[in-house]
């Protein structure tokens, strides 16, 4: 892995990769430009390199464990969602006015409210893959004072789905294409493709008023 991905290999072979992934996933709800998905995929690609070395009879370097990596990413995703949810819950009239001025946020609030009211949170899961979708969903759910027991299970499912998908892309990409930048690039393209597809599906979700 060190030879294939250069200096990045030293980072992903360190136990600190779990902390780095967790912090990146936790904070990218506030700063969606953070490359949390890229980090998860790169670490999972390193895990594939380690398993390949073990299968070849060589003692692998310290490489990430894919289960721990998935757990770290999932937990950080849920904690970030809850942080924004609670901040928005306490936002008060100023936040309500800001949402009312944004057509995108108003539409998201209507759609999310309808989805949670009907006992379904597929929108929450879809939005986790869409660019900035996680931030918008957590913000409008908190601002609308949705019940935490309605939001939290779907947030956990969304975080697990995103983390498992990202780890699987990196791991199996590394298995099939080798622990190279090509494997990481193909996996990242698949992640971004899923994000574009999720954004398209979210936009097609009917509003609560239309569904009624």
């Amino acid at each position: 892995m060190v030879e294939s991905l250069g200096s990045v290999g030293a980072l992903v072979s360190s136990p600190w990769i779990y902390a780095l992934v967790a912090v990146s996933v936790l904070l990218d709800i506030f700063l969606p430009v953070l490359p949390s998905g890229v980090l998860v995929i790169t670490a999972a690609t390193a895990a594939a390199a380690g398993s390949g070395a073990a299968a070849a009879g060589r003692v692998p370097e310290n490489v990430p464990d894919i289960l721990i990596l998935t757990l770290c990413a999932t937990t950080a995703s849920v904690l970030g969602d809850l942080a924004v949810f609670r901040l928005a819950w306490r936002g008060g009239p100023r936040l309500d006015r800001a949402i009312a001025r944004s057509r995108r946020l108003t539409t998201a609030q209507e759609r999310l409210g309808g989805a949670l009211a009907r006992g379904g949170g597929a929108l929450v899961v879809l939005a986790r893959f869409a660019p900035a979708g996680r931030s918008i969903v957590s913000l409008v759910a908190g601002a609308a004072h949705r019940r935490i027991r309605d939001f939290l299970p779907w947030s956990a499912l969304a975080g697990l789905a995103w983390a498992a998908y990202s780890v699987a892309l990196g791991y199996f990409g590394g298995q099939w294409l080798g622990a190279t930048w090509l494997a990481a690039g193909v996996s990242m393209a698949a992640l971004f493709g899923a994000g574009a597809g999720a954004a398209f599906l979210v936009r097609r979700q009917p509003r609560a008023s239309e569904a009624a």
Side-chain angles (χ1 to χ4, degrees), residues 79-155:
L79 290 177
D81 289 355
L82 290 179
V84 170
F85 180 89
R86 294 303 300 175
L87 287 173
W89 183 285
R90 300 172 182 173
R94 181 178 298 179
L95 179 60
D96 293 338
R97 289 193 296 269
I99 291 177
R101 288 194 297 268
S102 170
R103 182 178 179 182
R104 185 181 184 186
L105 291 177
T106 301
T107 301
Q109 189 172 47
E110 293 174 354
R111 291 174 176 171
L112 179 63
L116 294 178
R118 293 190 298 271
L123 181 61
V124 179
V125 179
L126 272 177
R128 182 61 183 88
F129 289 81
R134 172 191 178 204
S135 304
I136 294 173
V137 163
S138 300
L139 175 67
V140 300
H145 295 109
R146 295 293 168 184
R147 295 178 300 181
I148 188 66
R149 66 174 178 266
D150 291 334
F151 176 73
L152 181 57
W154 291 106
S155 170

Side-chain angles (χ1 to χ4, degrees), residues 21-212:
V21 165
V23 170
S24 179
V25 174
L26 178 65
L27 295 181
D28 75 0
I29 193 169
F30 301 100
L31 299 170
V33 295
L34 288 178
S36 57
V38 173
L39 283 174
V40 173
I41 285 175
T42 304
T45 304
S51 65
R58 301 190 302 271
V59 178
E61 303 175 31
N62 292 325
V63 294
D65 181 280
I66 59 172
L67 293 180
I68 297 177
L69 185 63
T70 303
L71 179 61
C72 285
T74 302
T75 302
S77 179
V78 175
L79 290 177
D81 289 355
L82 290 179
V84 170
F85 180 89
R86 294 303 300 175
L87 287 173
W89 183 285
R90 300 172 182 173
R94 181 178 298 179
L95 179 60
D96 293 338
R97 289 193 296 269
I99 291 177
R101 288 194 297 268
S102 170
R103 182 178 179 182
R104 185 181 184 186
L105 291 177
T106 301
T107 301
Q109 189 172 47
E110 293 174 354
R111 291 174 176 171
L112 179 63
L116 294 178
R118 293 190 298 271
L123 181 61
V124 179
V125 179
L126 272 177
R128 182 61 183 88
F129 289 81
R134 172 191 178 204
S135 304
I136 294 173
V137 163
S138 300
L139 175 67
V140 300
H145 295 109
R146 295 293 168 184
R147 295 178 300 181
I148 188 66
R149 66 174 178 266
D150 291 334
F151 176 73
L152 181 57
W154 291 106
S155 170
L157 179 60
L160 177 60
W162 177 86
Y165 179 72
S166 301
V167 169
L169 285 178
Y171 185 80
F172 290 111
Q175 289 281 345
W176 296 332
L177 299 176
T180 63
W181 283 116
L182 174 62
V186 170
S187 299
M188 291 172 198
L191 182 64
F192 295 146
F200 174 77
L201 292 174
V202 166
R203 287 194 298 267
R204 287 179 62 86
Q205 290 288 318
R207 300 188 186 188
S209 57
E210 295 171 350

